[in-house]
Amino acid sequence: MATRSALVFIVALGTLGTPTLAASPANAANPADASSSAIAAEPDPTLNDAVFNQPTGSAAEQNTIFIQLARIIDRVPAGGEIQMSWFGFGVTDVTDSATTPDLPARLLNAYQRGVRVKIILDHEQVTERPYQRLLPVLGSNDTAGSYIVHCADQFPSQDRGCIGTRTINYTDSSVTAYNHNKFLTASSIVLNNGSTVSNVVFQGSANLGWWDANEAYNNAVTFSDATTYQAYRTYFADLRSHRYSSTGDNNYYWGTPTGTTYRAYFFPRRERSGTSIHDAASDTIVSVLDSVRSCSYDDAGTTRQTDVRVNMFSFNRPEIAKKLTALRNAGCWVDVVYSEANAGVLDALGSNIQLTKCNYNVAPGRDIRTHSKYMLIDGAYDDDIVPRVFTGSHNYNMSALRQADEALLRIMGRGIHDDYLSNFWHVRDTCRANGGAIR
């Protein structure tokens, strides 16, 4: 059975009166000028690389991904534009600080200084405090310069995503579509040294809720790339426009050109006509694994083994598991960390695959899981041996493939791969040390 990859956020909503515009954060004393020297109170965001949170660390370590977002938002100059789409935006009100940023306040400050702020959320976020703070200021007119809308606002009776509207019925449940995205784009940001970086994309695995900071391992990558930036803007425009269709587009799937450092894929993707939802030929991750050319390869005269590593919150597509097992049986190294997996996947993952369940308790009511959704491939792939990272909001569950509004990002390069590899080892080894070793 496939399950919707939703977590229930139980948060205090706080006082629900008419919100006032937030005061400028400490690092934006002059909100009219994003390049003000006051912004140097906080460091620049990390660019062309990844950040990872530590759920059992300090406030700054837990909130690493939120801090990254805040630093991007703060640096978008007047006249610029922010577009963002999220499944979960449920952070409660906090006193804004460098280590615990008030993300709705940072967005309101950006709007105040002349940034166009456009936000699309999953419909379940309308009762959350951020939506209630932002709506009276940004409005819901999606033809205006700024707005905040949700996927079901045009068809309130539908339980749906913006593009995906499909319901899949299983023997004991029905799963509806949803907007599972976790991305932000910024037209440009001004760094502390006065230089400008354009075409900025942030893609993460974390929802914007405190659970994602202090009970879950998450990752995010921020980079500048004109082609990928424009692709995300096209996708955002389609999220906006497909809300007006009662049927959406349940075979929306497309991707940016291959052969570049970054490649984005956008979902949902329908199975081929006449096949079941398990159709492997229309599973993007299976196709990725089919591109692993060999389990051994020559690297400047040294024979090496191809390595495949998966760090996944929700894993219930057996066809992916079967392909991982086939690669392991062919001599590749395969290492899987997960928090949720169904019997079909666990049965299909062969006994030679190193397998770790990540779900351990650190305090009453506080269980640590991995909420990342990434795969690392280091070895013979297509016609090269360049390491690859596949990350984003896309779980390896059926709803992510067939129903949800999702983005998957592929990044090529040794540096970014090895940063993710260090995180993989940390998550895997910590979870194994806390009782998560399966084999």
Side-chain angles (χ1 to χ4, degrees):
M1 181 191 73
T3 59
R4 173 172 171 163
S5 67
L7 294 173
V8 178
F9 293 93
I10 303 174
V11 296
L13 294 179
T15 303
L16 302 182
T18 301
T20 57
L21 290 178
S24 298
N27 71 323
N30 179 6
D33 181 6
S35 64
S36 167
S37 60
I39 229 168
E42 290 186 16
D44 288 326
T46 298
L47 292 174
N48 302 315
D49 206 349
V51 295
F52 308 92
N53 75 313
Q54 298 295 341
T56 58
S58 65
E61 291 169 329
Q62 291 176 355
N63 297 331
T64 295
I65 292 169
F66 301 163
I67 292 168
Q68 173 76 357
L69 270 174
R71 291 173 179 172
I72 296 168
I73 293 166
D74 287 348
R75 285 160 177 76
V76 181
E81 184 168 282
I82 292 169
Q83 295 184 348
M84 58 184 288
S85 184
W86 248 268
F87 173 64
F89 195 178
V91 288
T92 49
D93 295 354
V94 293
T95 300
D96 189 54
S97 70
T99 58
T100 307
D102 184 343
L103 291 174
R106 304 287 180 112
L107 289 164
L108 290 171
N109 286 326
Y111 172 81
Q112 283 181 287
R113 69 175 176 266
V115 177
R116 298 184 301 278
V117 178
K118 300 178 179 181
I119 303 173
I120 301 176
L121 301 177
D122 184 75
H123 72 89
E124 292 186 354
Q125 302 312 298
V126 298
T127 60
E128 300 291 355
R129 181 64 172 150
Y131 180 84
Q132 295 168 351
R133 290 175 65 187
L134 292 164
L135 179 62
V137 180
L138 302 181
S140 60
N141 177 3
D142 66 5
T143 65
S146 296
Y147 56 81
I148 182 169
V149 297
H150 65 85
C151 291
D153 53 12
Q154 304 304 310
F155 298 93
S157 64
Q158 289 187 333
D159 193 1
R160 59 173 288 169
C162 288
I163 297 173
T165 62
R166 184 181 184 185
T167 296
I168 295 180
N169 296 311
Y170 299 91
T171 55
D172 58 353
S173 67
S174 293
V175 179
T176 55
Y178 53 104
N179 174 18
H180 196 242
N181 282 299
K182 307 157 200 318
F183 72 82
L184 176 147
T185 63
S187 53
S188 66
I189 60 174
V190 180
L191 302 181
N192 289 339
N193 63 8
S195 64
T196 297
V197 178
S198 300
N199 304 317
V200 175
V201 178
F202 169 102
Q203 174 65 68
S205 69
N207 291 301
L208 305 182
W210 301 122
W211 181 92
D212 292 82
N214 60 39
E215 291 193 56
Y217 294 104
N218 277 292
N219 73 94
V221 62
T222 307
F223 60 96
S224 170
D225 181 77
T227 298
T228 313
Y229 171 78
Q230 290 300 329
Y232 271 85
R233 286 180 61 84
T234 297
Y235 180 50
F236 186 90
D238 288 343
L239 290 169
R240 185 198 67 78
S241 65
H242 280 69
R243 293 167 28 251
Y244 290 92
S245 166
S246 62
T247 57
D249 183 354
N250 291 301
N251 194 21
Y252 175 81
Y253 177 76
W254 63 283
T256 57
T258 189
T260 59
T261 299
Y262 303 99
R263 188 181 188 192
Y265 308 79
F266 303 104
F267 298 81
R269 182 179 188 181
R270 198 172 186 94
E271 65 274 14
R272 295 173 301 164
S273 178
T275 65
S276 78
I277 58 173
H278 299 282
D279 175 35
S282 59
D283 188 319
T284 303
I285 303 303
V286 173
S287 297
V288 166
L289 292 171
D290 282 342
S291 294
V292 175
R293 174 169 45 84
S294 174
C295 286
S296 64
Y297 63 98
D298 178 78
D299 180 10
T302 299
T303 300
R304 301 190 186 279
Q305 181 183 47
T306 296
D307 299 331
V308 180
R309 299 176 173 92
V310 174
N311 182 2
M312 192 60 46
F313 170 61
S314 178
F315 193 172
N316 67 19
R317 278 147 58 188
E319 298 307 315
I320 298 176
K322 292 175 185 176
K323 185 61 184 178
L324 289 170
T325 295
L327 289 172
R328 182 69 185 105
N329 290 341
C332 293
W333 171 250
V334 179
D335 201 344
V336 176
V337 178
Y338 72 96
S339 283
E340 298 179 1
N342 64 6
V345 163
L346 295 177
D347 289 345
L349 290 172
S351 59
N352 290 330
I353 291 176
Q354 181 160 277
L355 190 60
T356 305
K357 183 173 183 178
C358 189
N359 187 345
Y360 62 92
N361 180 265
V362 295
R366 188 177 173 203
D367 297 319
I368 306 300
R369 299 175 179 87
T370 184
H371 193 251
S372 284
K373 311 106 172 43
Y374 66 73
M375 176 169 64
L376 314 179
I377 299 177
D378 185 3
Y381 189 95
D382 281 346
D383 58 355
D384 63 58
I385 58 171
V386 179
R388 287 160 167 82
V389 175
F390 295 83
T391 187
S393 64
H394 186 95
N395 281 297
Y396 291 178
N397 57 25
M398 195 59 66
S399 59
L401 177 65
R402 305 297 184 201
Q403 297 172 274
D405 304 335
E406 299 268 14
L408 173 69
L409 180 67
R410 188 267 288 140
I411 314 167
M412 296 175 64
R414 170 61 64 189
I416 188 73
H417 172 276
D418 288 357
D419 286 346
Y420 270 90
L421 179 59
S422 294
N423 177 256
F424 178 88
W425 283 334
H426 171 74
V427 173
R428 182 198 65 186
D429 294 349
T430 303
C431 294
R432 292 181 76 85
N434 283 278
I438 304 297
R439 56 177 178 264

